[in-house]
């Protein structure tokens, strides 16, 4: 019984062991199948993943290529635009720099030309002034000699005229006295040309009156001198010339103005030469007002002989004198010296 029980237990255990072994074998087979299926599934998944990866890579590559192409085109367009803007800016800067260089070059050229012209003009003016001074000196020498001869002849004629007029006046005076004694009711005798007699007496008496007038008040004498100038009478030239060296600059100034007015209106060549010479000396007077009046007076005389004195006045230290000299030179610009004419005349005189 016990043996049967033991055998039963051993059979049960043997059956259990066999069952376990069989189960183990079955599990091993299932495990192998599962592993095989897992490998196949993994292979399939790997194949599918690689396929999808390839497609994704191809898609991404295509998108990347498209984007790269588009970006490249945009960059090229931007680069071209920047290049165009840079080139345009460079061209603008180049044009501006070129204009600045041209302006600076023209300015330097103008300055160089102006400097050269100034230097050449100064040299020509110096040479011209030198020739003019030599010519003027020669003419002045001849002029002084002619003046002395003319003054001598004029004094002789004036003395003869004075003597003749005095004799005539005395004769008429004696005749009038005799007529008054013989016939008181008779009308007075009219003298021959009383205006001429009065004019000649004024001419004779003018130098004496001028010397006496120099002692009067400057204001009164100055007004009288201006009145002489307004009259335009040649007979006042001699008394005016005697007042040229008056100590009062106001008198000398009015003398210059009066001489200019008289000479500008109606004067013979002899008086004109005398007045121009005196006015030329007054352009170097110590007083600026006298120099200015002398220049203005020369500007009223229509003669080319006044030009050298006016040109010298252009270099005066006083601004008003220079301004008057410029205006006077514009007035006499049609009477410019013709080169070569005066030296030839001087040679003929010599």
């Amino acid at each position: 019984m016990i043996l049967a029980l033991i055998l039963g237990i051993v059979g049960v255990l043997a059956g259990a062991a066999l069952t376990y072994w069989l189960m183990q074998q079955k599990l091993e087979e299932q495990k192998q199948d599962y592993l095989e299926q897992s490998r196949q599934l993994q292979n399939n998944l790997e194949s599918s993943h690689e396929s999808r990866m390839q497609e994704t890579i191809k898609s991404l590559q295509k998108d990347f290529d498209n984007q790269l192409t588009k970006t490249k085109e945009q960059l090229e367009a931007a680069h071209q635009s920047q290049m165009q803007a840079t080139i345009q800016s460079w061209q603008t800067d180049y044009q501006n720099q070129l204009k600045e260089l041209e302006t600076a070059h023209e300015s330097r050229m103008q300055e160089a030309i102006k400097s050269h012209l100034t230097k050449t003009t100064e040299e020509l003016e110096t040479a011209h002034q030198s020739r003019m001074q030599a010519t003027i000196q020669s003419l002045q020498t001849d002029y002084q000699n002619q003046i002395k001869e003319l003054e001598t002849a004029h004094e002789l004629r004036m003395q003869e005229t004075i003597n003749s007029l005095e004799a005539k006046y005395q004769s008429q005076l004696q005749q009038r006295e005799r007529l008054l004694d013989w016939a008181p009711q008779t009308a007075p005798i009219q003298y021959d040309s009383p205006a001429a007699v009065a004019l000649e007496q004024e001419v004779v008496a003018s130098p004496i009156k001028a010397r006496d007038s120099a002692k009067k008040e400057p204001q009164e004498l100055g007004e009288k001198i201006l009145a002489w100038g307004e009259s335009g009478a040649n007979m006042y030239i001699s008394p005016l010339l005697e007042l040229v060296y008056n100590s009062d600059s106001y008198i000398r100034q009015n003398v210059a103005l009066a001489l200019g007015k008289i000479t500008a209106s109606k004067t013979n060549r002899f008086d004109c030469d005398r007045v121009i010479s005196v006015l030329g000396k007054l352009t170097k007077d110590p007083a600026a007002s006298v120099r200015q009046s002398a220049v203005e007076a020369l500007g009223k005389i229509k003669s080319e002989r006044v030009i050298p004195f006016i040109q010298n006045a252009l270099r005066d230290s006083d601004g008003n004198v220079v301004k008057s000299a410029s205006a006077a030179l514009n007035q006499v610009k049609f009477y410019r010296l013709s080169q070569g004419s005066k030296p030839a005349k001087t040679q003929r005189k010599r």
Side-chain angles (χ1 to χ4, degrees):
M1 182 93 174
I2 297 170
L3 182 60
L5 182 60
I6 293 170
L7 288 174
I9 292 170
V10 170
V12 171
L13 290 173
L18 180 63
T19 301
Y20 175 77
W21 181 80
L22 290 174
M23 289 294 292
Q24 188 72 25
Q25 288 295 323
K26 189 176 180 179
L27 287 172
E28 186 67 27
E29 290 178 358
Q30 289 179 352
K31 181 178 179 181
Q32 290 296 329
D33 292 338
Y34 176 75
L35 289 174
E36 184 65 25
Q37 291 177 359
S38 296
R39 280 195 299 271
Q40 290 180 357
L41 181 61
Q42 184 177 1
N43 290 331
N44 293 331
L45 288 174
E46 286 179 355
S47 298
S48 176
H49 179 68
E50 286 181 0
S51 176
R52 287 196 298 271
M53 282 292 293
Q54 288 295 329
E55 292 177 356
T56 303
I57 289 171
K58 288 180 180 180
S59 176
L60 291 173
Q61 184 69 31
K62 185 176 181 181
D63 293 340
F64 175 75
D65 291 338
N66 293 333
Q67 188 174 3
L68 182 62
T69 303
K70 186 177 181 180
T71 304
K72 185 177 179 181
E73 291 176 354
Q74 291 177 351
L75 289 174
E76 287 181 353
H79 178 68
Q80 289 294 330
S81 177
Q82 290 177 354
M83 284 292 293
Q84 290 293 333
T86 304
I87 292 172
Q88 187 68 27
S89 176
W90 286 352
Q91 286 181 346
T92 304
D93 294 340
Y94 171 74
Q95 293 294 333
N96 293 334
Q97 291 177 358
L98 185 62
K99 288 180 180 179
E100 292 177 357
L101 289 173
E102 288 178 352
T103 303
H105 178 68
E106 289 179 358
S107 177
R108 288 195 296 270
M109 285 293 293
Q110 289 293 333
E111 291 178 357
I113 292 171
K114 185 177 181 180
S115 175
H116 180 70
L117 287 176
T118 302
K119 185 177 180 181
T120 305
T121 303
E122 290 177 354
E123 292 176 354
L124 291 174
E125 285 184 353
T126 303
H128 179 67
Q129 289 295 331
S130 177
R131 291 194 297 269
M132 284 294 297
Q133 289 295 333
T135 304
I136 291 170
Q137 186 67 30
S138 175
L139 290 174
Q140 283 181 345
T141 302
D142 295 340
Y143 170 71
Q144 292 295 334
N145 294 333
Q146 291 179 359
I147 286 295
K148 290 179 181 178
E149 295 175 359
L150 291 172
E151 285 180 349
T152 302
H154 180 68
E155 289 178 358
L156 290 175
R157 287 196 299 269
M158 286 293 295
Q159 190 63 39
E160 291 175 357
T161 302
I162 291 169
N163 293 335
S164 175
L165 290 172
E166 286 182 351
K168 188 175 181 180
Y169 174 73
Q170 291 295 333
S171 174
Q172 290 178 351
L173 184 61
Q174 291 175 2
Q175 183 180 3
R176 181 185 179 188
E177 289 177 351
R178 286 196 300 270
L179 290 173
L180 288 173
D181 291 339
W182 294 344
Q185 293 81 15
T186 307
I189 298 175
Q190 298 294 328
Y191 301 137
D192 296 338
S193 302
V197 175
L199 178 60
E200 293 296 334
Q201 288 175 351
E202 178 67 21
V203 172
V204 175
S206 292
I208 300 173
K209 290 181 180 179
R211 286 192 293 269
D212 294 338
S213 299
K215 301 178 182 178
K216 296 181 180 180
E217 292 294 330
Q219 185 67 27
E220 181 182 352
L221 181 56
E223 293 176 356
K224 186 175 182 180
I225 291 171
L226 292 178
W228 289 354
E230 293 294 337
S231 68
N234 294 354
M235 66 180 181
Y236 292 118
I237 292 179
S238 295
L240 287 171
L241 293 178
E242 291 193 6
L243 292 171
V244 167
Y245 301 102
N246 192 284
S247 59
D248 195 319
S249 62
Y250 174 72
I251 299 300
R252 299 197 302 275
Q253 176 183 354
N254 288 347
V255 167
L257 294 174
L259 287 174
K261 290 181 179 180
I262 294 175
T263 312
S265 58
K266 46 181 179 179
T267 309
N268 56 43
R269 184 180 180 83
F270 171 70
D271 291 332
C272 183
D273 290 340
R274 293 173 64 194
V275 171
I276 291 174
S277 178
V278 171
L279 290 176
K281 293 178 181 178
L282 288 178
T283 57
K284 300 179 180 178
D285 193 273
S289 60
V290 179
R291 298 198 301 272
Q292 182 179 0
S293 298
V295 170
E296 292 175 355
L298 287 170
K300 297 177 181 178
I301 301 174
K302 296 181 179 180
S303 173
E304 73 231 8
R305 294 186 296 278
V306 305
I307 295 178
F309 300 110
I310 298 176
Q311 289 177 338
N312 290 334
L314 290 173
R315 295 187 287 272
D316 196 276
S317 58
D318 187 81
N320 293 327
V321 177
V322 174
K323 191 180 298 183
S324 298
S326 177
L329 194 60
N330 288 331
Q331 293 177 356
V332 300
K333 62 184 177 182
F334 298 109
Y335 300 94
R336 291 197 172 278
L337 290 168
S338 53
Q339 295 182 357
S341 60
K342 284 203 168 185
K345 186 177 180 180
T346 304
Q347 292 176 0
R348 287 197 301 272
K349 287 183 180 179
R350 291 179 181 176

